[in-house]
Amino acid sequence: MRKTLLAVAIAVAGATTVVPAASAAPNTLAWGPCPAGAFPTPDLQCTTMKVPLDYRDPGGRTIDIAVSRLPSKNPAKRRGVLLTNPGGPGGGGLDYPQLLKLVRMPPDVLDSYDIIGFDPRGVAHSTPVTCDLKPEQIAVGNLPYANGPADVVKQAALAKQEAEQCAEAKTGSMLPYLTTANTARDMDRIRAALGEAKVSYLGASYGTYLGAVYTTLFPERSDRFVLDSSLGPGGYDIDAMRGFARGMEDRFPDFAAFAAAHPEYGLGTTPARVTAKFHELAARLDREPVEGVDGSVFRGLTFQGLYVTDLTQLAKDWQGLDQGRAPKPPEAPVTGVENLLASRFAVICGDSAWPRSIASYQVDVAVDRIRYPLLGAASANISACAYWAPPAEPRVRITGHGPANVLMVQNQRDPGTPLSGARKLRAAFGERARMITIDQGGHGAYLFTPSKCGNALVTEYLVSGKRPDDTFCAAGS
């Protein structure tokens, strides 16, 4: 349904617990063909390995982790493995190495590493979880826009039902263990199974927090770490969720200027008029949805459209809705979206404690509607996390303890992971990190955007180990 767009759109640290070190023997993975899927993976090799569900009980129940490998074809230049994660939480990463190759990851990087992907625990081919969400629940979307306190109460009832379904589903017993810290421990099991003393890493979006947690838990096993489009040091907590609204405010002026410069879309001849059109369309669609697209879905569609560099499709979608035509949603099987949402809930709600008072969300919604009028009353709304079981362990605290091996790369106007959060992570890492800031918009900086400056600096670090100082890349450079 059309409202699935919002679920996908807003999709896409405490004391550290000591756990047993990874003990898998070197080179224990048997590689073969990858699972059949919609994304072609002709160069990839895949395998499945077992890991403990609960690392506090390493001899207990195990789950599957699906792993992929894009091998270096130049043994003379190969220096190790590069683990990857494309973000989420809730998204699979098995085909990500192939995608990186298709977007022209530089040959020097492909030669230097075996590129490793994996589906995180609970996702896709890695013992997937379910919340038994029905199509009509998926259609509500993730955190619909609240026009007032009553809408928060209405959403609270839906959120409570979602949390109860997750707990009562056949995979409910797995939920306490689907955390970022445990996924990081899975990564260390992958490292050990590959026979590597250390791993390098490339993570985007939520993958930045996963990488930050890994290099905090296992600093001595971390080689060159690149974090692209970073969450803050608290990960995907309530601050990050509310941060979506800040990110949309940062990025939206780029679209308003684009639409105003292209009068053929009929969205306004000045940025101010394009902004007024946004609010007009949202209010109109709240009253009279177009093929299932109401104001909440429109806001989510716009938020998602701001992720990319080319804003043409978003302008076309607005034009169509203004004329009574709904955009075609991306094809995605309900089962895939259901697993995405279920595993997303598990990680976000299990990583940190969320407020439980409906009144606190009503206050946040009222504040953020004024502070961030484009999306604030949606991103501050209540979710299933308000009704989740308390976290099973303290959140990992990101600090400056460890080797100086982290390179962050960040767009100035990123809607999904705003610059404000990245700066907080940079500060938490202290001398461990350096950050490249690029004067451009969109979500994702390395390879997926045209900054020659940013791309070259990241590639040089991955290949040679030369890490730049904190650097600003000007627009177009």
Side-chain angles (χ1 to χ4, degrees), residues 52-61:
L53 174 63
D54 180 359
Y55 276 90
R56 296 168 298 183
D57 181 20
R61 179 183 172 187

Side-chain angles (χ1 to χ4, degrees), residues 173-450:
S173 62
M174 291 177 57
L175 296 182
Y177 312 106
L178 266 63
T179 62
T180 300
N182 278 333
T183 300
R185 293 166 185 140
D186 295 341
M187 288 168 55
D188 203 54
R189 289 294 178 109
I190 294 171
R191 174 203 60 78
L194 291 168
E196 300 287 339
K198 293 185 176 184
V199 293
S200 292
Y201 180 79
L202 172 62
S205 193
Y206 161 75
T208 61
Y209 181 59
L210 176 59
V213 168
Y214 180 91
T215 197
T216 298
L217 292 176
F218 306 103
E220 74 284 0
R221 299 171 192 167
S222 306
D223 194 8
R224 299 170 186 172
F225 267 53
V226 174
L227 308 182
D228 179 352
S229 309
S230 292
L231 287 167
Y236 234 128
D237 58 7
I238 188 171
D239 292 334
M241 187 67 71
R242 294 177 71 181
F244 285 142
R246 165 68 182 271
M248 188 162 174
E249 297 285 341
D250 289 346
R251 173 64 166 151
F252 187 82
D254 291 341
F255 174 73
F258 172 86
H262 291 81
E264 66 269 23
Y265 297 117
L267 304 176
T269 56
T270 67
R273 290 179 178 176
V274 175
T275 303
K277 173 62 75 173
F278 172 87
H279 294 293
E280 174 199 326
L281 267 174
R284 187 199 314 169
L285 291 166
D286 274 334
R287 296 190 304 270
E288 300 178 8
V290 174
E291 298 178 34
V293 177
D294 63 9
S296 286
V297 177
F298 168 68
R299 292 180 178 92
L301 180 150
T302 300
F303 178 68
Q304 181 184 24
L306 295 173
Y307 271 46
V308 300
T309 303
D310 185 353
L311 299 171
T312 303
Q313 186 58 53
L314 180 58
K316 290 179 178 178
D317 289 344
W318 274 39
Q319 182 185 46
L321 285 167
D322 195 33
Q323 297 173 356
R325 304 187 310 275
K328 299 298 180 185
E331 293 296 329
V334 171
T335 52
V337 174
E338 202 280 337
N339 173 244
L340 184 154
L341 291 175
S343 53
R344 174 183 165 83
F345 279 145
V347 174
I348 293 177
C349 303
D351 269 1
S352 60
W354 290 65
R356 297 186 178 273
S357 165
I358 294 176
S360 71
Y361 291 96
Q362 290 174 320
V363 170
D364 288 348
V365 163
V367 169
D368 283 8
R369 180 186 296 108
I370 297 172
R371 182 186 297 168
Y372 306 123
L374 298 173
L375 194 67
S379 57
N381 206 348
I382 193 168
S383 77
C385 295
Y387 301 97
W388 215 258
E393 64 176 307
R395 183 164 41 181
V396 175
R397 182 168 174 263
I398 309 301
T399 72
H401 300 299
N405 64 344
V406 177
L407 179 61
M408 301 169 60
V409 57
Q410 179 74 29
N411 293 335
Q412 273 195 311
R413 299 178 300 283
D414 185 323
T417 52
L419 178 61
S420 56
R423 284 174 170 163
K424 291 177 183 177
L425 181 63
R426 168 68 182 84
F429 269 129
E431 289 303 306
R432 289 203 67 187
R434 294 290 183 266
M435 187 163 78
I436 303 163
T437 306
I438 306 173
D439 183 5
Q440 63 185 11
H443 186 54
Y446 182 52
L447 301 182
F448 291 86
T449 54

Side-chain angles (χ1 to χ4, degrees), residues 27-58:
N27 301 310
T28 59
L29 299 178
W31 300 99
C34 293
F39 193 85
T41 55
D43 303 309
L44 280 184
Q45 304 165 343
C46 288
T47 189
T48 301
M49 58 182 288
K50 299 287 186 181
V51 299
L53 174 63
D54 180 359
Y55 276 90
R56 296 168 298 183
D57 181 20

